[in-house]
Amino acid sequence: MQTDVKQTIAVAATAQLQKYVGTTATNITKARIMAISAQASAADASVKIYNSVAGTVASTLVAELKFGTADGEWTHFYVPGQGIYCDTGLYAVLSACDFLVVTGTFT
């Protein structure tokens, strides 16, 4: 059972995902994704998460969610088992999405 589960800092645009270390925002270098939460800003919102620090190469795509028929709709996706392991970082690409938060374990 994971005991060090945290959330990323919420993002509202495409960005490398970060966590707080004390009061300082710090890039995540390794992660185990356990849940993904996002809110649509319009119909057909999408979120793509890459095992990367800045790139969107198809081979590094680890999660893609498409959701929402209108502004304000949200999605919450639980990842079963041990989650999705990323050993490079977390880079998220948002489309028609107000915010994204990833829950998991991070270093």
Side-chain angles (χ1 to χ4, degrees):
M1 186 74 179
Q2 300 291 340
T3 59
D4 53 352
V5 175
K6 299 177 176 103
Q7 286 187 313
T8 62
I9 298 170
V11 294
T14 296
Q16 183 174 0
L17 298 182
Q18 297 183 317
K19 63 181 179 179
Y20 280 115
V21 175
T23 58
T24 304
T26 306
N27 291 338
I28 294 169
T29 56
K30 291 184 182 178
R32 188 167 300 279
I33 300 170
M34 301 173 82
I36 302 167
S37 301
Q39 179 176 318
S41 60
D44 299 323
S46 71
V47 171
K48 293 181 181 179
I49 300 175
Y50 294 86
N51 180 15
S52 173
V53 293
T56 58
V57 177
S59 63
T60 63
L61 180 67
V62 295
E64 181 175 7
L65 303 175
K66 293 185 180 217
F67 62 98
T69 58
D71 181 18
E73 290 191 15
W74 65 277
T75 189
H76 188 78
F77 177 74
Y78 289 102
V79 179
Q82 295 294 313
I84 300 169
Y85 181 68
C86 298
D87 62 358
T88 303
L90 294 175
Y91 186 75
V93 176
L94 280 59
S95 175
C97 188
D98 282 333
F99 76 87
L100 166 72
V101 174
V102 174
T103 303
T105 58
F106 314 119
T107 61

